[in-house]
Each structure stands twice: as structure tokens, then as C-alpha cells.
Amino acid sequence: MSGISWEKNVDVQPYNTFNVPSTARWLVRVQNISNLYELVNSTQFHNKRSLILGGGSNILFANAQYDGIVLKNEIQGIKIQSEDDQHVTLRVGGGVEWVSLVDYCVQNDLGGIENLSLIPGTVGAAPVQNIGAYGAELSDVLVAVEVFDLDTGQARTMPKDECEPKYRGSIFKDTLKSVMICAVTIRVVKARFYSVNTGYGLIRDVLLELGISTPTIRSVSEAICLLRKRKIPDPKSIGNAGSFFKNVVCDDSIRRSIESVDANTPFYRNPDGTYVIPAAWLIEKCGWKGRQFDNVGVSSRHALVLVNLGRAEGREIVWLAELIMRDVQAQLGLLLTPEVNIIR
């Protein structure tokens, strides 16, 4: 008896946080690695497009139909792989919700990912983007990922360096796009050996507001959750995928050029000598924050968040994103790059 089920003409609107309508020609739910071996050996899989889908929080279906196979990662499990006096190494299924993993670590006083609280999506999607927020990234705790290559039909474990993590990207986003991340291994720190990361100014502000002078893993997580709720609309209420664009990385000559336009331009210097300009500042500087067009708009809370105002189609959100990109380039000479994966 077959272990996988081929669901035909499936509405994927419930599976993307933009809440845009689209239909997948086929959908297969992957609950273990055996499902993947069966999948690649089936004639129905050959010569068809395929898309790996986690929580749908960093994806935009641009068309009314995806003419291929959507592979829904539903591999579960959080297990302690090893432990010493200071650290715990966890092996986590790719289909586990990221917020569930953060909650597990917070509840067990394990530090390292509390600054990534309330980020939507699944654990399997996290290495693709090398998710990051408030001065932390997945790569800070990443040990390895277990992948299944849909092209070769082989499974293997890739240590962190092979994943090539970088700012909002990795080898999985750039060149190795045909693999499903089945499990992720992270190394976190026991609370008594851990120093929380409150270097990001907004975290300190919220902790002060909450009357917390000695922050803990739990209180930092709570502060991050409060910050995110204030800045990013709940996708259950208004469709969005969080930050739509990446921050802009530039050299010193471009930094000085932008500063000549506005001396108050915020910059952050990277260790390699390049500079980061917040994309939200650029978009707001060009007058886009809070603007609305029929079914789509830019959030009034955060200029990086494009929103579905009710019944938007994916193509309408793409249209808005392209308008913003062209205008920022025309006004400031900088090209924005989408962080969200646009599926056409």
C-alpha cells in the first residue's frame, strides 16, 4: 500500500500567510523520509515542477495556479541529540513550527534563539533564509541540516559550513534548490552559562518599559514578541509575509552618496567594511508607508510589510512590490531585493 497520497487541484490559500488564492496541480504531504524515497521513485513525479512548502510565511504565489507538485513538509519531532554541562544539541524535524521550537527552548531555559521569537514558518525553511532578527541569526546556533535531494534521490547531512549561511540567504536559496530539509540540528546553551543578547536598542527599551533590569531568556523572548506584535500585523487577521525586502548592503562610496541626500540616513557597519541601510527607512523615505491601492498596501506599522487588504491576488502584490522597487531606485539610486520567494 502506498505511503503517500496525491491530492489533486488543491487550494493553497490556507498554506500561505499572504492568504492569496492559488491552486496546486498536485500536493503531497511529506511526513517522513520514506515518503521522499517513494516520491522520487514514482513515475508521477518525473518531469514535473516541484515546490517545497513549509509554513508558507516567506512565499508569494503570483499566479492563479501552480502547475506542478507542492511538497508540504510535515516532518515532526524535537529530540535531544546530545548534552553536556553547558550545551544541549537538538535535532528538530523540518515540519516543526519555528515558534514551537523557540517555545521549547524558552520553557527549558536554553538560550540562543530567543531573539528569533515569533518568526512564522517551519524549522525546515529557517536555514534557507538563515532567518534572523534583533541581532541574532539561525547560523549562530546551527550545527547541521539533513537534506533529501529530489534530483538524485539521495539523503545526506550537511554541516553548517556547507550550508553557506549569509544575510537572509544560504546555498539552499542560491544554488541547491532541489533539496528538502528534513531535519535541523542546533546547539543551544543552558541558562546558567548563557548571556542574553540585548544589544539591539529596541530590546532594551521594551525591557525598561516592562520594568526588567535583569533580563532572562524568557523575558527577552517576551520583549521580542511584544516588538513583533507592535510592528508586524498578525497574518491571521491581515495577509502578509513579514519583511518583503532585504536590507540594502552597500560600500562606503554609496553610503556617502546617500548621506549627501539625507544626513540622518541610518547605517550599520558590517565587519567586512560594507554598510547596511534599512530597507524600511528607504521605503518610508520615498513615501510608501501606509499607502493603499484597492486590495493591497504597505503596512502603516512597518514599511517593509506589504499586506493583503482583503481579496488580493498574488499578481497584485507583485505589482505593488515592483512599483516600490522602481520608485526607490528612481529617487535614491538603490535597488531593493525581495526577501520573499515569488512563485510564478
Side-chain angles (χ1 to χ4, degrees):
M1 182 179 291
S2 174
I4 59 174
S5 175
W6 293 83
E7 301 175 38
K8 190 174 181 180
N9 295 326
V10 177
D11 178 11
V12 294
Q13 189 166 3
Y15 303 132
N16 73 92
T17 61
F18 258 124
N19 195 33
V20 296
S22 188
T23 301
R25 181 63 60 88
W26 297 98
L27 185 141
V28 173
R29 301 178 190 276
V30 178
Q31 298 178 333
N32 52 60
I33 197 167
S34 297
N35 292 159
L36 292 169
Y37 282 113
E38 182 180 344
L39 178 75
V40 299
N41 287 315
S42 67
T43 56
Q44 197 167 347
F45 180 74
H46 296 159
N47 301 317
K48 290 184 176 67
R49 295 176 69 197
S50 61
L51 171 69
I52 298 167
L53 184 64
S57 61
N58 198 50
I59 199 167
L60 174 59
F61 288 99
N63 299 325
Q65 183 179 66
Y66 176 75
D67 190 18
I69 306 166
V70 170
L71 308 178
K72 186 78 170 62
N73 191 338
E74 297 183 352
I75 302 173
Q76 298 298 304
I78 301 176
K79 296 181 179 179
I80 295 177
Q81 190 173 67
S82 64
E83 182 175 359
D84 58 31
D85 288 343
Q86 298 186 29
H87 302 92
V88 175
T89 302
L90 299 172
R91 181 182 180 273
V92 190
V96 172
E97 292 292 327
W98 177 260
V99 293
S100 296
L101 175 59
V102 175
D103 287 346
Y104 175 94
C105 290
V106 170
Q107 294 294 330
N108 288 279
D109 288 328
L110 300 172
I113 61 173
E114 65 281 352
N115 288 46
L116 308 180
S117 294
L118 215 61
I119 293 179
T122 57
V123 169
V128 179
Q129 294 290 119
N130 185 29
I131 59 172
Y134 299 105
E137 292 182 328
L138 173 66
S139 57
D140 299 335
V141 298
L142 183 65
V143 175
V145 300
E146 297 169 37
V147 303
F148 185 93
D149 193 317
L150 297 169
D151 288 339
T152 66
Q154 300 296 314
R156 66 186 177 110
T157 298
M158 298 176 61
K160 171 183 169 179
D161 289 348
E162 284 187 25
C163 301
E164 299 178 14
K166 59 183 180 181
Y167 172 69
R168 299 302 182 271
S170 67
I171 193 172
F172 308 113
K173 191 169 186 180
D174 294 339
T175 57
L176 197 59
K177 298 181 180 182
S178 63
V179 302
M180 176 175 282
I181 296 175
C182 300
V184 174
T185 303
I186 64 170
R187 189 169 184 250
V188 286
V189 186
K190 295 179 179 178
R192 64 182 182 275
F193 297 102
Y194 182 70
S195 297
V196 293
N197 176 2
T198 59
Y200 205 95
L202 288 175
I203 301 175
R204 295 195 299 270
D205 292 343
V206 172
L207 290 170
L208 183 63
E209 176 188 331
L210 296 174
I212 297 171
S213 58
T214 306
T216 62
I217 293 168
R218 183 183 298 275
S219 63
V220 169
S221 176
E222 291 171 349
I224 298 294
C225 289
L226 185 58
L227 279 168
R228 290 187 67 86
K229 287 176 181 177
R230 287 175 177 176
K231 294 173 64 176
I232 300 175
D234 183 351
K236 294 178 182 177
S237 302
I238 183 167
N240 74 88
S243 299
F244 195 92
F245 299 103
K246 298 179 183 179
N247 289 333
V248 175
V249 180
C250 66
D251 60 22
D252 188 55
S253 64
I254 294 176
R255 179 189 69 83
R256 287 185 278 108
S257 175
I258 298 296
E259 271 192 326
S260 68
V261 176
D262 189 329
N264 295 316
T265 304
F267 292 97
Y268 305 97
R269 193 175 190 276
N270 288 322
D272 63 1
T274 60
Y275 290 85
V276 175
I277 310 175
W281 184 89
L282 298 170
I283 295 167
E284 188 168 353
K285 177 72 176 175
C286 293
W288 285 93
K289 186 177 182 180
R291 292 183 66 179
Q292 298 184 1
F293 303 84
D294 295 327
N295 295 319
V296 296
V298 180
S299 173
S300 59
R301 296 191 199 177
H302 199 302
L304 267 186
V305 181
L306 307 189
V307 293
N308 176 354
L309 295 172
R311 293 181 290 181
E313 296 180 2
R315 59 182 178 82
E316 294 176 88
I317 297 169
V318 172
W319 168 82
L320 175 60
E322 291 175 346
L323 272 184
I324 294 170
M325 292 168 68
R326 287 196 297 267
D327 192 48
V328 170
Q329 187 169 31
Q331 289 196 50
L332 300 174
L334 294 174
L335 180 63
L336 295 177
T337 303
E339 182 176 332
V340 169
N341 296 307
I342 300 174
I343 307 301
R344 300 182 188 274

